[in-house]
Amino acid sequence: MKTAQDLKILLQNIDHKSYPAYKSAQGSYQFRNYVLSIDHVQGDPFASPSRVSIRVKGSAAAFPPSLYDTVQKKVALQDLLLRLFGEQIEQFNFKARGSGKSGLLAVSRCGQEILERSACAISAGDGGLTLQMQIGFPASGRTIQSRELIRILYDFLPGCVENSLFYKNISADLCRRTAELCEDQEYIREELRRRSLAAFIADGSVLPRRSGVSELPMKNAVAFRSPEALAVTLDLPHRGTIRGMGIPRGITLVVGGGFHGKSTLLKALERGVYNHIAGDGREYVITSADAVKLRAEDARSISQVDISLFINHLPGGRDTGNFSTEDASGSTSQAANMVEAMEAGSSLFLIDEDTSATNFMIRDELMQRVVSDAEEPITPFISRVRELYEKAGISSVIVAGSSGSYFHTADVVIQMKEYLPLDITEKAREEAARYPEVLTASSAFRMPSFRRIPRAGSALRGQERIKRKVLGHEGIQINKSSTDLRYLEQLADTEQLAALAYILSYSARHLMDGSRTLREIVDLLEEKMDREGLPALSDGPYLSSDLARPRRQEIFACLDRCRELSFTLRRQ
Ligand code: ADP
Ligand code: MG
């Protein structure tokens, strides 16, 4: 392997040459205690910065295996190292000078959730560490300023690597606490299963965020406290005894006046599918990992989804056993979202009336008298929610501030009052008993069939270089085809959208062979990512962007929303 000295000489030789000469620096170089690889050199100082990786041998990084001996702990340690490295390079960002992005130093920015990211990978085998970063190779105009790059690579980076990627130089206590928090969080997730709970919210949790644009915890928020009737006490392996609210499996209704914290509670449950970092306020808010927030999503496309559980005899005799549309209504979109979530294996539905189609959720008595059930295509969710639990094992948490219809069918009713939950199950039951339940006539419950086979249109399969773009939180674009993901509220990070763009193009090119069902394709994808990590999705020697792993549920949801896929049904 070439040495650090070789690289320095090379860089000195190209000083003041034209920018493309930087390409000759591509390759791997042995520095004192790590290998630096220049994986991709940007085309000019204004283009996306160059991609550089740093590899530290397991024996040198020397993290005790107990810090990464489960998948979750490994992800938590990778996340911690990324944050530490990010803090280190921050002080040198743009310290080297030049035009455009010259001198930029960046690494994936981690938010409140702990996610598996391509930017940092620890090998489960030998503890070796790979970190990927971006560097803006300096130039003035298009003239190489390699002395500035030499400053970055020889004066700035070695200290950053030294201070953040070697166990001996970082706080052992911080590492231990990170692993312990992760073990406690995983313990709660296990405990949910054992105790038949859908979610747990610890006393003292801070659920609201600072603002609509900040995911940091709100200052001086009312801390969560469980009502006695729903209180559960857990014995965490590290933190010890912890009390909180256990939401039992079944049907839970959250009611309360406007502005009393209902949606905030539901949002916390939505994000409880991920582990949160210490200090977030939601460290011990843990939801079944497969929970899906379901909402109306007008105008989405739907392809060959069996929505007959909820919608039948549409005008014009359209078949709802394999329903397709380019422009769904509120109710058909919510029905499709639900059936697709079943296909993705969700065991918990999270629904907020604020973002639901009213006619999908309920139909009141007066309306039933005026428009007979026979004339109404929709079997509202309220008529299915009990069967979904009893016949398909799917629990629901429903936020409803304005309709009392769900009182009859709920197992638990929580009232949010001044941001605190009260258990009002008994009271609600008594009131409901005096008020007749309005039942809608509905067909027998039948599990939808999941036999859809996706095929990719040419926009996704093109043999030439694939162009992938992330449109913020709004969606992704592959070549000319864009997929709208803005309503997937459980996507926590744009790097997850970047990963979905890779997943979509990877599965279109390698997995959609016209015989595999959607489920089989997602299974294969997940196995591949489990085995080889996120770089497995790349079609070249390196990933051209940083990725964070999305959940199975969002992978389904993304493929379901891609208008370049057409679905057919496998014969039974
Ligand atoms: P609802 O859905 O019941 O109308 P929201 O959940 O939207 O109410 O909350 C209303 C407002 O109260 C939001 O601005 C939210 O940030 C704030 N809020 C929610 N929970 C708390 C809390 N525990 N402490 C302080 N403020 C809160
Ligand atoms: Mg609300």
Side-chain angles (χ1 to χ4, degrees):
M1 188 184 304
K2 284 177 278 187
T3 64
Q5 194 53 30
D6 295 336
L7 176 62
K8 201 178 228 172
I9 293 165
L10 186 156
L11 291 175
Q12 281 160 348
N13 286 339
I14 60 171
D15 200 16
H16 300 305
K17 289 199 175 150
S18 148
Y19 207 84
Y22 264 142
K23 298 265 182 210
S24 60
Q26 228 153 280
S28 299
Y29 306 91
Q30 181 69 57
F31 278 61
R32 193 171 65 78
N33 47 12
Y34 59 91
V35 172
L36 178 104
S37 292
I38 299 177
D39 298 321
H40 175 73
V41 176
Q42 62 203 99
D44 64 70
F46 302 92
S48 303
S50 304
R51 302 191 64 85
V52 170
S53 54
I54 289 158
R55 282 201 308 279
V56 182
K57 276 205 182 120
S59 54
F63 287 91
S66 62
L67 294 177
Y68 60 89
D69 58 7
T70 66
V71 173
Q72 290 83 7
K73 280 197 278 177
K74 189 164 95 71
V75 169
L77 179 58
Q78 289 167 179
D79 174 274
L80 173 67
L81 299 183
L82 265 180
R83 289 172 200 267
L84 294 175
F85 184 75
E87 282 169 23
Q88 287 289 320
I89 59 172
E90 189 50 44
Q91 52 186 317
F92 298 113
N93 195 15
F94 289 113
K95 281 285 147 58
R97 278 184 294 268
S99 323
K101 301 205 172 83
S102 293
L104 173 147
L105 300 183
V107 70
S108 285
R109 246 175 227 284
C110 304
Q112 299 301 102
E113 284 82 19
I114 296 169
L115 302 174
E116 177 183 344
R117 293 177 192 269
S118 59
C120 183
I122 297 169
S123 146
D126 62 4
L129 202 97
T130 309
L131 188 130
Q132 319 241 359
M133 68 175 301
Q134 288 99 266
I135 300 179
F137 282 14
S140 63
R142 290 181 50 85
T143 304
I144 288 179
Q145 297 297 332
S146 65
R147 245 168 290 169
E148 292 296 300
L149 184 55
I150 289 171
R151 280 175 73 205
I152 295 174
L153 299 182
Y154 297 83
D155 298 343
F156 303 166
L157 272 190
C160 298
V161 174
E162 184 74 29
N163 292 340
S164 63
L165 302 182
F166 292 85
Y167 181 63
K168 63 180 190 320
N169 297 336
I170 63 183
S171 155
D173 194 45
L174 180 60
C175 293
R176 183 182 48 79
R177 277 185 281 123
T178 301
E180 289 181 353
L181 175 57
C182 177
E183 283 182 354
D184 281 349
Q185 289 166 330
E186 290 311 308
Y187 177 87
I188 299 176
R189 253 179 244 289
E190 277 302 309
E191 223 32 34
L192 293 182
R193 233 193 309 268
R194 276 193 287 270
R195 296 177 186 232
S196 201
L197 296 174
F200 175 82
I201 304 176
D203 288 356
S205 295
V206 173
L207 308 188
R209 301 293 95 192
R210 197 160 294 173
S211 75
V213 292
S214 169
E215 279 292 301
L216 296 174
M218 179 186 273
K219 285 180 181 152
N220 308 317
V222 176
F224 191 86
R225 184 168 172 81
S226 173
E228 206 46 58
L230 295 172
V232 170
T233 304
L234 303 179
D235 237 332
L236 306 189
H238 302 288
R239 198 186 134 138
T241 306
I242 186 172
R243 178 186 182 275
M245 182 168 93
I247 297 182
R249 298 205 64 85
I251 299 156
T252 302
L253 184 64
V254 179
V255 301
F259 243 64
H260 280 261
K262 303 183 296 296
S263 297
T264 302
L265 170 64
L266 197 76
K267 281 228 164 62
L269 295 177
E270 289 165 23
R271 286 300 166 90
V273 300
Y274 302 113
N275 288 345
H276 288 91
I277 53 168
D280 172 80
R282 299 168 296 182
E283 297 92 314
Y284 305 104
V285 178
I286 304 286
T287 312
S288 296
D290 58 21
V292 175
K293 166 72 176 290
L294 291 163
R295 54 172 292 157
E297 196 179 336
D298 297 40
R300 64 158 286 194
S301 73
I302 297 172
S303 185
Q304 301 282 331
V305 179
D306 177 3
I307 56 169
S308 60
L309 256 188
F310 301 106
I311 308 205
N312 282 291
H313 44 262
L314 280 175
R318 285 178 74 182
D319 190 359
T320 56
N322 52 348
F323 182 77
S324 300
T325 176
E326 288 292 321
D327 181 12
S329 67
S331 54
T332 51
S333 62
Q334 203 163 356
N337 288 353
M338 217 164 250
V339 174
E340 289 167 351
M342 293 170 81
E343 189 168 14
S346 174
S347 70
L348 176 62
F349 289 172
L350 304 173
I351 300 169
D352 194 332
E353 77 175 358
D354 286 359
T355 51
S356 292
T358 310
N359 61 346
F360 178 77
M361 296 301 292
I362 50 164
R363 179 133 36 90
D364 73 14
E365 196 179 359
L366 183 55
M367 186 56 88
Q368 287 192 35
R369 284 192 194 170
V370 177
V371 180
S372 78
D373 283 346
E375 295 169 273
E376 172 54 73
I378 302 173
T379 303
F381 181 62
I382 190 165
S383 304
R384 292 292 189 210
V385 63
R386 173 62 50 195
E387 293 167 315
L388 279 171
Y389 180 56
E390 282 169 5
K391 302 196 169 140
I394 297 171
S395 299
S396 296
V397 176
I398 304 151
V399 169
S402 64
S403 158
S405 307
Y406 280 85
F407 281 135
H408 291 96
T409 184
D411 298 310
V412 169
V413 182
I414 295 165
Q415 179 183 353
M416 291 306 289
K417 191 172 174 186
E418 311 264 349
Y419 312 128
L420 287 173
L422 307 173
D423 175 74
I424 59 159
T425 309
E426 279 314 310
K427 178 176 162 204
R429 208 165 270 159
E430 281 164 25
E431 289 296 333
R434 274 185 252 139
Y435 200 87
E437 181 170 12
V438 183
L439 285 173
T440 336
S442 57
S443 53
F445 181 92
R446 189 177 55 76
M447 273 302 270
S449 74
F450 301 124
R451 298 179 287 129
R452 294 189 298 152
I453 296 176
R455 281 187 179 77
S458 55
L460 296 179
R461 278 182 291 113
Q463 287 306 304
E464 68 297 358
R465 225 171 77 90
I466 293 183
K467 281 214 181 79
R468 306 180 189 83
K469 213 160 120 188
V470 176
L471 314 166
H473 277 278
E474 311 276 282
I476 54 176
Q477 192 176 333
I478 293 170
N479 296 333
K480 291 221 159 69
S481 139
S482 57
T483 301
D484 188 344
L485 304 174
R486 78 187 67 197
Y487 294 119
L488 301 183
E489 295 170 291
Q490 288 169 291
L491 284 176
D493 194 294
T494 52
E495 285 190 5
Q496 290 179 312
L497 283 93
L500 287 170
Y502 272 86
I503 283 172
L504 186 51
S505 54
Y506 179 88
S507 50
R509 301 228 290 189
H510 301 291
L511 301 175
M512 293 181 190
D513 63 357
S515 75
R516 295 191 179 107
T517 63
L518 187 58
R519 268 189 174 176
E520 289 164 350
I521 287 166
V522 179
D523 286 344
L524 287 172
L525 265 168
E526 290 214 300
E527 279 165 30
K528 191 163 176 71
M529 288 189 282
D530 287 345
R531 240 187 358 250
E532 301 166 40
L534 293 162
L537 302 169
S538 166
D539 37 27
Y542 68 96
L543 283 167
S544 54
S545 42
D546 294 311
L547 312 182
R549 184 162 172 177
R551 293 189 309 157
R552 177 180 181 81
Q553 282 67 30
E554 278 72 36
I555 296 176
F556 269 91
C558 172
L559 298 175
D560 281 325
R561 280 160 183 74
C562 176
R563 290 173 194 260
E564 279 297 317
L565 297 183
S566 56
F567 289 81
T568 52
L569 296 185
R570 175 183 281 175
R571 282 194 200 144
Q572 269 161 327

